[in-house]
Amino acid sequence: MMHSVHLIIGKGVAAAAFLQRGPTASAVDLREGWQAIPVDDTLYAAIEALNPDVVRPSGLDVSPLGLSEALAAVRAKGGGVAYVLTEYFGGMGAQAAITFIDGREVVSPQSAKGAGPIDQALRRIGVVRTEAGDEFDTIGLGQRRTMADYEPEGPVRLRGKPVQAKQRQAGLPIWVVMLVIAAVVGLGVMAAVVR
């Protein structure tokens, strides 16, 4: 299975403060009031307009030039934002995260193969895990596995397909077919014994 996303996660005033810096950026509502801001071409265009030296991330670049500065500029009282990214395919890959609270970096850029950095970053900005899952799954990041899942129409994988009424198949039920086969075999055995 694949999971490949580049997101800024925040809540309330922290997410709103970041969105004000990039007015063309948009947020996707997650669980528990959390929001994900896709780090896509639209967001980078807004950041590049403010800082032409921005370097777009490639792979697991946890602290791309320009994005870290934009995150640090968010000075919302009482909240934080985390930049999280995943690159997994077939269970292999890695994740990375960096966290800012009140404009200060509180979790330095980290990456790891397997779980860890994202849950730590989410915990620092206030995500409280449930008994059913870690911080990542508590806010619903596991449901949206690609950047396309953060488009306005929602998760691509979860879009409902129209349910078609089950059509009745023509033919006999299997038990009738088995009964006929057994009768034919039985008649053949009886005919062979009688001869």
Side-chain angles (χ1 to χ4, degrees), residues 8 13-22 37 43 47 67 70-71 74 81:
I8 294 167
V13 294
F18 187 84
L19 287 169
Q20 287 175 351
R21 291 194 54 78
I37 301 166
L43 179 60
I47 293 172
L67 184 59
L71 288 167
V74 175
V81 291

Side-chain angles (χ1 to χ4, degrees), residues 16-153:
F18 187 84
L19 287 169
Q20 287 175 351
R21 291 194 54 78
T24 58
S26 60
V28 174
D29 291 333
L30 300 172
R31 294 184 194 142
E32 307 289 326
W34 292 96
Q35 293 182 305
I37 301 166
V39 179
D40 57 11
D41 289 337
T42 303
L43 179 60
Y44 264 101
I47 293 172
E48 286 171 341
L50 298 172
N51 181 359
D53 296 328
V54 168
V55 177
R56 293 181 188 220
S58 61
L60 286 173
D61 187 359
V62 184
S63 186
L65 183 63
L67 184 59
S68 292
E69 288 80 2
L71 288 167
V74 175
R75 304 211 185 279
K77 293 261 183 214
V81 291
Y83 172 55
V84 302
L85 54 130
T86 63
E87 293 292 338
Y88 288 101
F89 186 76
M92 303 293 289
Q95 61 175 256
I98 184 172
T99 307
F100 291 85
I101 297 177
D102 295 333
R104 291 181 299 113
E105 183 181 296
V106 294
V107 176
S108 59
Q110 298 180 24
S111 64
K113 293 181 179 180
I118 293 178
D119 283 336
Q120 180 185 358
L122 295 176
R123 209 172 13 258
R124 287 300 299 265
I125 63 172
V127 174
V128 178
R129 70 180 294 159
T130 62
E131 290 181 23
D134 59 9
E135 291 83 359
F136 188 87
D137 287 324
T138 295
I139 64 172
L141 292 176
Q143 290 183 319
R144 297 175 183 255
R145 307 184 73 76
T146 67
M147 293 303 286
D149 289 342
Y150 288 89
E151 292 174 356
E153 57 271 3

